[in-house]
Every structure is written in structure tokens, then in C-alpha cells.
Amino acid sequence: MTDTSDPETGFLEALGQRVRTMRALRGMSRKVLAKVSGISERYIAQLEGGKGNVSIVLLRRVSNAMGAHLEDLIPAAEPAPDWAVIRDLLRKATPAQIAQAKDALAGGSHSTQRRSAFSGIALIGLRGAGKSTLGKMLAKKIGWSFVELNKEIEAQNGLSVAEIIALYGQEGFRRMEQAALTQLLARKELMVLATGGGIVSEPLTFDLILSSFYTIWVKADPEEHMARVRRQGDLRPMADDRSAMAELRNILVSREPLYARASAVVDTAGLSVDAAAARLSDAVAPVLRSDAQVFGLRSAAS
Ligand SMILES: Nc1ncnc2c1ncn2[C@@H]1O[C@H](COP(=O)(O)OP(=O)(O)OP(=O)(O)O)[C@@H](O)[C@H]1O
Ligand SMILES: O=C(O)C1=C[C@@H](O)[C@@H](O)[C@H](O)C1
Ligand SMILES: [Mg+2]
């Protein structure tokens, strides 16, 4: 017997078990799987026995040969029994069907909140975009309260963002971020909300933002983001090293498709603070004039 108390050994054994089960489900012999995947029968036996630390490329060949989804071979916490059916239905669903499914899955209170609670204007974007600077100015102008989500998180937990991340990691911080947002929404008052740059990395939290606020992506050029953040003396998450600019570009490129889900974009590149504030006012004018629902609160699926 191997030592399954070692998590890595246990993982490889569970992976092997999944391959064996999947193969059995498809009625494929090891010989046939070896032939179709182009991987030796001996290696497949090792993999199924939990002995082979298979490369991701080989595992993909195994899953392709069985016509299975690669992710179904990766051991994970037991999903809901109907998970595979739900996932396959979702893959084929229209955006309207996905929206309905999300409402149903989110359950009563969230479902009601999604439809009814318009909470104001949320600003998203990378560090140094101007979310705090411009958000404060906008809130003053339109007479709504200005809320910094990171400050709410700090107040609710009695720790700074840096301390939370050091103590509980990104995952802990994101959990607290979602809890702080949920509490804010429960206040049921209109606000201008400045979010943290990384909020887009947590799908449920970001979806809550998109469905509760008229969301605006405040953006600038990478060089300008860097210059503004440096001027503030805050280099996180743009560490002060030679690769800092490349890191920043990479963060921006990976987040852009998510930031772009906002209802509107305000590009502040090359503008003074006052000119950018005026542009933001223009961008929110439709919301102030009319019922925000008309302008379509977004959702991560739309
Ligand atoms: N056109 C502009 N629009 C907004 N801010 C500008 C502009 N030009 C220069 N700035 C300066 O850039 C900085 C923007 O920082 P701010 O803290 O508002 O960004 P942020 O998006 O809230 O960042 P963070 O994610 O770190 O909280 C401020 O110091 C502001 O004065
Ligand atoms: O842009 C980011 O990745 C982050 C920005 C901060 O506001 C925090 O949300 C956190 O430190 C991560
Ligand atoms: Mg800020």
C-alpha cells in the first residue's frame, strides 16, 4: 500500500482512479486507449496506478483519446452530483438562459437583490486610474456618499489590506471583500464606490458589482498608471524592479477583458484631474437622468 496520507501521493492515486473509471465508462481497454492516445500501455498502467506524474500535455492526450473533458480527470472536491449535466447544459445555453440559471442558483435574497437594488456608481480599474480621486469628486458633485471598498474591508476587520493579505492571503482578502460588499449593498443607499483593482479576479464579487452598480472602467496608459502610483509612493503590486513595467502591462492585459465588462469607460490618459472629472460626470449623466435599469446593469455573463 502506498501512503495516501501524503497529499501528492493521494492526488496521483485519485487521478489514476479517475482515468481508470473514465476509461471503463467508455468501455475502452488499456490497449485501445494506448493506441488512440499514442501513449504506451505501460505508461497508462503507471498513470492509472497512481505512479506516473503525468505531464499536462500527456494528460490532455489521454482525455482527448477518451473524448473526455480534461478537467474531469483532475481530482477536486466532490462536485454536486449533477455537476457534469449542469456544466454541459451551460455550455450550450443562451445568455438569457444563463442569466436565469444564475438567478435561480443564487437563491432568494440574492435573486431579489439582483433585480431590484440599484446601488449607484462603481469605479473599477487598475491602481492609479483615479478611482479614489475622481470618485470623491463625483460623489461631492452629485450628493451621494463616497465609499472606498478597501476602507470598508479594513474597518470591518480591524486590519489594513496589507495585514489581511499577509495573514489570510489573497483568498482571505477576497472573502472579506465579498462580505464587505454584501454589507454595503444591504444599506440600500446610493453611493459612488471605488473598488480595489483586483476585484475583477473574484467572479461572484465582480458579478455583484456589475449587477448592482452602473460600473465605470477608469483607465489610463500603462506608463501613466505606473507614474501615478510611483508618485504616490506606493509600488504594490508593481514591485520596484526592472520588470515592474512588464508586470504592470501583464496585469492590465489580463484584466482588460474583465474591466471591459463595465457599462462605460472613462479614459483619463493625458488629461488633468479636472478634465478627467468632467469626463466622468459626462459618463454618468445618463444614470442620473434616468432609471439606471434602462441603461442595463451588466452581468459577468453579458
Ligand atoms: N487625469 C487624471 N485622472 C485621475 N487622476 C489623475 C489624473 N492625472 C493625475 N492623476 C493623479 O493620479 C493619482 C490617481 O490615484 P488614485 O488613488 O485616485 O487612483 P486609484 O484608482 O484610486 O488607485 P488605487 O487602486 O491604488 O486605489 C492621483 O494622485 C491623481 O492626482
Ligand atoms: O490591483 C490589485 O491587485 C490590488 C489592489 C488593491 O486595491 C487590493 O485590492 C489588493 O491589494 C489587490
Ligand atoms: Mg483608490
Side-chain angles (χ1 to χ4, degrees):
M1 269 303 278
T2 44
D3 176 14
T4 40
S5 60
D6 165 17
E8 286 169 2
T9 305
F11 177 82
L12 288 177
E13 288 187 354
L15 175 68
Q17 177 68 52
R18 283 187 175 227
V19 172
R20 205 162 46 237
T21 307
M22 194 67 82
R23 180 168 65 74
L25 274 173
R26 280 150 175 75
M28 291 172 91
S29 67
R30 236 182 231 162
K31 198 181 277 303
V32 168
L33 179 57
K35 198 158 183 224
V36 182
S37 64
I39 298 168
S40 79
E41 201 179 329
R42 192 165 157 268
Y43 194 79
I44 288 176
Q46 275 185 358
L47 167 65
E48 292 188 354
K51 303 279 187 302
N53 189 357
V54 66
S55 81
I56 193 76
V57 170
L58 283 194
L59 192 61
R60 193 173 69 142
R61 269 163 60 183
V62 169
S63 70
N64 283 346
M66 295 192 293
H69 295 294
L70 180 58
E71 71 258 32
D72 287 345
L73 297 181
I74 311 289
E78 261 334 295
D82 282 332
W83 166 244
V85 177
I86 293 169
R87 182 197 57 198
D88 287 352
L89 287 171
L90 276 177
R91 284 203 170 107
K92 291 190 296 189
T94 62
Q97 287 173 318
I98 288 174
Q100 271 181 340
K102 276 167 61 190
D103 263 358
L105 289 171
S109 59
H110 188 235
S111 173
T112 315
Q113 196 174 60
R114 292 176 62 81
R115 272 192 293 275
S116 61
F118 169 63
S119 297
I121 290 154
L123 305 182
I124 60 171
L126 203 62
R127 308 190 71 123
K131 302 177 296 287
S132 301
T133 308
L134 304 176
K136 230 173 275 168
M137 292 166 81
L138 175 68
K140 195 167 172 207
K141 184 169 173 194
I142 63 181
W144 293 0
S145 47
F146 173 70
V147 181
E148 282 275 7
L149 189 52
N150 278 354
K151 292 220 168 85
E152 288 295 314
I153 300 167
E154 291 180 333
Q156 284 180 17
N157 295 284
L159 293 167
S160 71
V161 169
E163 286 168 334
I164 294 171
I165 291 176
L167 281 170
Y168 303 104
Q170 272 289 330
E171 200 202 329
F173 176 72
R174 295 292 159 213
R175 234 184 7 251
M176 295 177 199
E177 182 175 57
Q178 193 171 112
L181 178 60
T182 306
Q183 285 206 23
L184 269 184
L185 294 176
R187 285 189 204 165
K188 300 200 184 305
E189 64 180 42
L190 289 173
M191 67 189 93
V192 176
L193 179 72
T195 63
I199 199 162
V200 292
S201 66
E202 191 54 52
L204 284 179
T205 312
F206 186 40
D207 193 53
L208 205 49
I209 291 281
L210 292 174
S211 56
S212 309
F213 296 89
Y214 189 77
T215 305
I216 301 201
W217 173 18
V218 185
K219 67 187 281 196
D221 291 340
E223 289 74 15
E224 229 169 314
H225 276 288
M226 179 63 91
R228 291 180 192 175
V229 171
R230 281 198 194 287
R231 234 178 280 135
Q232 290 175 327
D234 182 355
L235 301 174
R236 198 173 39 89
M238 305 147 187
D240 189 15
D241 60 39
R242 272 186 320 224
S243 60
M245 201 56 217
E247 280 291 335
L248 187 145
R249 279 183 204 284
N250 189 30
I251 293 173
L252 196 52
V253 166
S254 13
R255 289 182 183 169
E256 259 169 6
L258 296 164
Y259 288 149
R261 292 192 183 278
S263 302
V265 182
V266 169
D267 193 344
T268 67
L271 298 183
S272 67
V273 169
D274 284 342
R279 204 170 271 189
L280 179 60
S281 286
D282 289 347
V284 302
V287 188
L288 303 181
R289 269 199 306 268
S290 317
D291 180 353
Q293 303 290 339
V294 174
F295 291 91
L297 296 181
R298 306 297 300 268
S299 101
S302 59

